[in-house]
Amino acid sequence: MKSVLVTGANGQLGQSIQKLASDYPQLNFVFVSSIDLDITDINSIEKRLSNRAFKYCINCAAYTDVENSEKEPEKAFKVNSEGVNNLALVCKEQQTVLIQISTDYVFDGEKGTPYEVSDPTNPINVYGASKLMGEGHIEEIMDAYFIIRTSWLYSEFGKNFYKTILQKAREGANLSVTDDQIGCPTHAGNLAKHVLDLITGENKSYGIHHFTDGESLSWYGFAKKILRENNLSDKVKLEKAKNYRTFAKRPAYSVLAMHT
């Protein structure tokens, strides 16, 4: 039986993996939250991964607040770069395959067609830069790893766009949503299944991969879809936001190309 350590287990993806765990009886899971295991502390990682106990480590621990990353860049880099560097060093030493979750925000959004794994990266915000630096550490240190870039995660867990739109719509609020950005909304449960199928399957093509749900939408288009799926389209006024501004720059087009 393969033992799998899941870090950041209380986040969207971590909880989605926990929900699916019973579907994979051939895997022995150990779930640790950021309180149980601080990836910025290499000593705690070494204690947790000693004696080659884990065949895989799925790193769901990340600093994901895009806006606050601009105001507190040291926090983003400490977790998304330094923390990942620590994991990579210990996983290599323990012969543990590291599965790192990365982001579409490693790209600048200027290409206008779906981004291939091989396309040049050029993050335009601190969050994307910190995640890209984490990718670089893994590539430099490890041979056996998967870096999975994904985008616009949502689920029934935690705070996310889907839940926010649904809550506001049910409260009867009018919605104003930008259509200036296009990406692929991805259900965390689908990403979780993809990761676990990767572990249990025969595909061991290590390196960088892309995974999304495949449908490219603007945030406005995604909001429209959420209302439609929940039979709320006729009950809520949804309009395109004009002059939508955020503190952090975001890529205008960050659709990831996928190959099966």
Side-chain angles (χ1 to χ4, degrees), residues 155-179:
S155 68
E156 61 271 43
F157 305 112
K159 288 170 64 177
N160 57 70
F161 182 82
Y162 194 105
K163 285 175 72 176
T164 300
I165 291 293
L166 197 53
Q167 181 185 343
K168 288 185 175 179
R170 284 174 173 161
E171 290 169 355
N174 291 334
L175 300 170
S176 181
V177 182
T178 183
D179 69 340

Side-chain angles (χ1 to χ4, degrees), residues 7-258:
T7 63
N10 288 349
Q12 281 196 82
L13 182 58
Q15 289 189 73
S16 297
I17 293 171
Q18 290 185 60
K19 186 178 176 182
L20 287 176
S22 61
D23 294 342
Y24 294 83
Q26 68 273 52
L27 301 178
N28 174 43
F29 291 97
V30 174
F31 293 97
V32 290
S33 71
S34 55
I35 295 168
D36 304 319
L37 177 63
D38 177 2
I39 66 169
T40 67
D41 179 359
I42 194 165
N43 293 324
S44 64
I45 300 174
E46 286 172 338
K47 284 176 190 169
R48 182 65 72 164
L49 272 84
S50 61
N51 302 320
R52 297 187 181 170
F54 296 100
K55 177 66 179 166
Y56 289 88
C57 172
I58 306 170
N59 182 33
C60 304
Y63 186 88
T64 58
D65 191 324
V66 178
E67 289 291 282
N68 276 330
S69 292
E70 299 296 316
K71 300 165 190 171
E72 302 175 317
E74 65 285 349
K75 284 190 177 178
F77 278 97
K78 188 163 184 63
V79 177
N80 297 340
S81 173
E82 186 184 322
V84 171
N85 184 69
N86 292 340
L87 271 176
L89 287 169
V90 178
C91 283
K92 168 134 194 212
E93 182 188 324
Q94 293 294 324
Q95 297 184 3
T96 299
V97 178
L98 178 59
I99 300 178
Q100 167 70 6
I101 308 304
S102 194
T103 175
D104 54 330
Y105 280 18
V106 299
F107 297 111
D108 60 17
E110 299 291 327
K111 186 184 175 192
T113 55
Y115 281 97
E116 302 285 345
V117 166
S118 57
D119 281 332
T121 52
N122 184 34
I124 57 174
N125 57 40
V126 169
Y127 169 69
S130 68
K131 294 293 284 185
L132 181 61
M133 191 170 282
E135 287 188 9
H137 290 317
I138 294 169
E139 290 183 291
E140 286 170 19
I141 293 165
M142 301 191 72
D143 300 313
Y145 65 87
F146 295 97
I147 294 169
I148 302 174
R149 294 177 184 148
T150 190
S151 62
W152 299 21
L153 278 190
Y154 70 96
S155 68
E156 61 271 43
F157 305 112
K159 288 170 64 177
N160 57 70
F161 182 82
Y162 194 105
K163 285 175 72 176
T164 300
I165 291 293
L166 197 53
Q167 181 185 343
K168 288 185 175 179
R170 284 174 173 161
E171 290 169 355
N174 291 334
L175 300 170
S176 181
V177 182
T178 183
D179 69 340
D180 288 345
Q181 299 157 35
I182 295 174
C184 290
T186 303
H187 194 283
N190 294 335
L191 175 60
K193 185 177 186 305
H194 174 73
V195 170
L196 298 180
D197 287 348
L198 196 63
I199 289 173
T200 55
E202 297 303 313
N203 177 11
K204 293 297 176 276
S205 54
Y206 296 129
I208 299 175
H209 297 252
H210 289 171
F211 179 85
T212 70
D213 280 350
E215 182 182 11
S216 56
L217 293 166
S218 67
W219 288 115
Y220 172 82
F222 188 27
K224 204 171 177 181
K225 182 179 180 182
I226 293 165
L227 296 179
R228 188 172 63 246
E229 285 180 353
N230 292 278
N231 299 312
L232 292 166
S233 300
D234 299 333
K235 297 175 179 135
V236 178
K237 183 181 178 186
L238 171 65
E239 60 183 27
K240 294 178 185 176
K242 294 180 175 66
N243 302 316
Y244 176 76
R245 292 287 179 269
T246 57
F247 194 68
K249 287 183 180 178
R250 285 167 167 78
Y253 182 95
S254 59
V255 176
L256 300 174
M258 288 209 309

